[in-house]
Amino acid sequence: MTPSRKVAIEKSSDFGKDFPVPKAERHSLIRPSLEDEIASAIQEGILGGQWNPGERLVEMELAQYFGVSQGTIRGALKYLQAGGLVEHRPRRGNFVISISEEDIRDISLMRDTLESLGAQLAAERISSEGEARLYEVVDEMRQASKQHQRQRLLELDLRFHRTVVEIADSRLLQDMYRRLEGPALLFLRMADGFYQEPQAIVDLHEPLLEAICSGDSARAYELARRHTDPDAGRLTGRYRK
Amino acid sequence: MTPSRKVAIEKSSDFGKDFPVPKAERHSLIRPSLEDEIASAIQEGILGGQWNPGERLVEMELAQYFGVSQGTIRGALKYLQAGGLVEHRPRRGNFVISISEEDIRDISLMRDTLESLGAQLAAERISSEGEARLYEVVDEMRQASKQHQRQRLLELDLRFHRTVVEIADSRLLQDMYRRLEGPALLFLRMADGFYQEPQAIVDLHEPLLEAICSGDSARAYELARRHTDPDAGRLTGRYRK
DNA sequence: TATTTATTATTGATAATCACTAATCAAGTA
DNA sequence: TACTTGATTAGTGATTATCAATAATAAATA
């Protein structure tokens, strides 16, 4: 989602010619454009099952449905394309992605890869504000675990790592995690939280939280790469049958 | 770049309801849209120095320059946004990215991360056609090295790994590598190939090529993660002074 | 049944337009 | 000098209308 991204203030040491950074840049609490809002709405629709995987998204239909113009819809769809939830086929249209077995493996692999990198970086530059945000998520996890809300727990899992990635403070990593998150959420909702015990997720994130907050980047890195060895095979294996 | 992506044919085992895959899907050698062509042209302009980092890209100016409509330009700019070369600020416009010190570190880190993952996967599913493509790139590397074309060598380096990533055959990974490649190329061209000896690059890729082709994924993984330890510090350090 | 031909729906692309917002500059004020 | 305020202007955000090109669908033919 991240409809409004923090604008990185360039420093004088940047590459290339110096183009002035306008004053207004600093205080602008960016209001999301209509396009962004529509994009979020469509995304929610996809994740909520209003549009199914593989289904075609017709521009004019959406325009009427949301009461906006075709151009706005087109922009919103482009945004979703970048987020990986919508696939564009030239002269054919836009389609909600389908998730294949290979995609599931990829998602798991990339989660490991990006989340472990994120954890490592976050441990190096955690702040008290970041700590508070992470603690909050883990608290919600504990509650969800007690009430055996598996679905919610898996989504909190993703939210935890998105927060970690934001703390890691890397534009590249954040964009990539956004590309990953949409498909991951779609898969989770379709698969309906079928793997891992609730408590196991909490047990995994508590030490990870601690490692990050204590600045132990190596340990954070190791703790965050979890699916790879034990789970990945079991996951796809379990799906296959 | 990848203006036309291979369309993944869904299999019946996919998630979600089954929506029929039309016949035309199979034989369509997708012609790139005008938008894609314009996007490539702008990208070349950015990498070629026609537009400088931080510079504003005014829609109507570009529309006149390329002789297309404003809408087409807007679409092309969205594509470049996803590729990470253009930054969009709501109600302000589109700007060529500036590359900060942090970005340089991030690019290096992400290259390691994605390229090593790519190498690992490629080793697991290399084909004779893929082998040929990789050998070709390494051959070009050898030539460039002999003629001390440092700049070209660094770009071949990126091309090698993009090829590896294509062989790895993961939509997610490919998209992410595309997000990385634009900024990486921009940085390389601005920095004008200032680090690493030509021969060192060849010496690195020859064993990597061999590892991938022999299916030794673990070795391929290790060989591909190179910048991290020895170079990253030296790189940013050298830049800083 | 398979292939060709028409029909229709939808995207690709353009053009013209208007509201709204940011950046700029100038004048006035402390 | 420094700091507002106000007017000006450039440029995006968004709409509407339109037309050509093309894919998907249905119908007709062999």
Side-chain angles (χ1 to χ4, degrees):
Chain A
M1 295 284 224
T2 62
S4 60
R5 181 207 293 162
K6 231 183 301 171
V7 172
I9 309 292
E10 291 102 359
K11 293 191 298 190
S12 60
S13 63
D14 280 359
F15 263 86
K17 287 180 184 170
D18 281 38
F19 283 80
V21 176
K23 263 189 232 169
E25 203 73 358
R26 247 149 283 169
H27 57 72
S28 62
L29 285 176
I30 303 163
R31 172 165 51 87
S33 67
L34 182 55
E35 223 172 75
D36 291 330
E37 285 179 37
I38 299 293
S40 297
I42 298 177
Q43 167 146 343
E44 274 315 302
I46 292 172
L47 295 178
Q50 187 168 0
W51 293 285
N52 295 98
E55 190 171 346
R56 187 177 199 176
L57 299 170
V58 179
E59 292 177 354
M60 278 309 295
E61 281 179 13
L62 292 172
Q64 289 188 323
Y65 180 81
F66 287 106
V68 297
S69 75
Q70 192 181 0
T72 304
I73 295 292
R74 198 171 283 191
L77 289 175
K78 285 243 168 65
Y79 188 78
L80 294 178
Q81 284 163 35
L85 273 179
V86 167
E87 189 181 5
H88 178 79
R89 307 179 197 162
R91 273 164 285 277
R92 242 157 259 149
N94 293 280
F95 300 81
V96 179
I97 57 161
S98 294
I99 296 182
S100 66
E101 287 183 33
E102 293 84 46
D103 291 329
I104 297 172
R105 179 214 57 196
D106 287 350
I107 289 171
S108 184
L109 252 177
M110 289 306 311
R111 279 197 67 175
D112 266 9
T113 304
L114 297 187
E115 288 175 0
S116 54
L117 181 61
Q120 179 195 324
L121 291 177
E124 291 170 10
R125 55 192 80 142
I126 184 75
S127 69
S128 55
E129 188 254 343
E131 279 189 33
R133 290 178 62 197
L134 289 179
Y135 269 103
E136 201 180 318
V137 179
V138 170
D139 268 343
E140 290 188 55
M141 275 186 178
R142 290 200 193 95
Q143 288 180 18
S145 174
K146 266 183 197 163
Q147 299 164 14
H148 294 84
Q149 301 171 303
R150 302 160 76 93
Q151 184 67 27
R152 173 155 171 70
L153 205 51
L154 292 171
E155 294 182 14
L156 282 170
D157 184 351
L158 269 172
R159 210 176 95 197
F160 178 88
H161 289 284
R162 186 182 54 198
T163 308
V164 167
V165 160
E166 283 167 6
I167 292 169
D169 192 35
S170 157
R171 264 197 289 187
L172 261 173
L173 183 56
Q174 273 179 52
D175 283 1
M176 288 179 184
Y177 201 73
R178 185 179 98 79
R179 171 66 182 79
L180 172 66
E181 211 180 1
L185 270 171
L186 182 58
F187 168 64
L188 280 187
R189 300 223 176 154
M190 286 189 305
D192 201 23
F194 63 87
Y195 72 105
Q196 279 199 338
E197 286 306 305
Q199 191 55 43
I201 294 182
V202 181
D203 290 345
L204 198 73
H205 287 81
E206 279 176 340
L208 178 54
L209 169 64
E210 203 209 339
I212 292 174
C213 292
S214 67
D216 189 344
S217 61
R219 181 164 154 75
Y221 177 87
E222 278 307 326
L223 283 171
R225 50 182 303 138
R226 57 182 153 165
H227 306 98
T228 320
D229 297 317
D231 273 341
R234 189 160 65 83
L235 175 58
T236 51
R238 193 156 174 186
Y239 169 62
R240 237 172 218 138
K241 72 171 180 188
Chain B
M1 295 285 226
T2 62
S4 60
R5 181 208 293 163
K6 229 184 302 172
V7 172
I9 308 293
E10 292 100 359
K11 292 191 298 190
S12 59
S13 61
D14 280 359
F15 263 86
K17 286 179 185 168
D18 281 37
F19 283 78
V21 176
K23 263 191 232 169
E25 203 74 357
R26 249 148 282 169
H27 56 72
S28 62
L29 284 176
I30 304 163
R31 171 165 52 86
S33 67
L34 181 55
E35 225 171 73
D36 290 331
E37 284 179 37
I38 299 292
S40 298
I42 298 177
Q43 167 147 343
E44 274 315 304
I46 292 173
L47 295 178
Q50 188 169 359
W51 292 286
N52 296 98
E55 192 171 343
R56 188 177 199 175
L57 299 170
V58 178
E59 292 176 353
M60 278 309 295
E61 281 178 14
L62 292 172
Q64 289 187 325
Y65 180 82
F66 288 106
V68 298
S69 76
Q70 193 180 1
T72 304
I73 295 293
R74 200 171 282 192
L77 288 175
K78 285 244 169 61
Y79 188 77
L80 294 178
Q81 285 163 34
L85 272 179
V86 167
E87 189 180 6
H88 178 79
R89 307 180 197 162
R91 272 165 286 277
R92 243 156 257 151
N94 292 281
F95 301 80
V96 178
I97 56 161
S98 294
I99 296 182
S100 65
E101 287 183 34
E102 293 84 47
D103 291 329
I104 297 172
R105 179 213 58 196
D106 288 349
I107 289 172
S108 185
L109 252 178
M110 289 307 311
R111 280 198 66 175
D112 266 8
T113 304
L114 297 188
E115 288 174 1
S116 54
L117 180 61
Q120 180 195 323
L121 291 177
E124 291 171 10
R125 55 192 80 142
I126 183 76
S127 68
S128 55
E129 188 255 342
E131 279 190 32
R133 290 178 62 196
L134 288 179
Y135 269 104
E136 201 181 318
V137 179
V138 170
D139 268 344
E140 290 188 54
M141 274 186 178
R142 290 198 193 97
Q143 288 179 20
S145 173
K146 267 183 196 165
Q147 299 164 15
H148 294 85
Q149 300 172 305
R150 302 160 75 91
Q151 184 67 27
R152 173 155 170 71
L153 205 50
L154 291 171
E155 293 183 15
L156 282 169
D157 184 352
L158 270 173
R159 210 176 94 199
F160 178 88
H161 289 284
R162 187 183 53 198
T163 308
V164 168
V165 161
E166 283 167 7
I167 292 168
D169 193 35
S170 156
R171 264 196 289 187
L172 261 174
L173 183 56
Q174 274 179 50
D175 282 2
M176 289 180 183
Y177 201 73
R178 186 178 97 77
R179 171 66 181 80
L180 172 66
E181 212 180 0
L185 270 171
L186 181 59
F187 168 64
L188 281 187
R189 299 223 177 154
M190 286 189 305
D192 201 23
F194 62 86
Y195 72 105
Q196 279 200 338
E197 286 306 305
Q199 190 54 43
I201 294 183
V202 181
D203 291 344
L204 198 74
H205 287 81
E206 278 176 341
L208 178 55
L209 170 64
E210 203 209 339
I212 291 174
C213 292
S214 67
D216 188 344
S217 62
R219 182 166 154 74
Y221 177 88
E222 279 306 327
L223 284 171
R225 50 183 302 139
R226 57 183 154 164
H227 307 96
T228 320
D229 297 317
D231 274 341
R234 189 160 65 83
L235 175 58
T236 51
R238 193 156 174 185
Y239 169 63
R240 241 174 214 136
K241 74 171 180 189

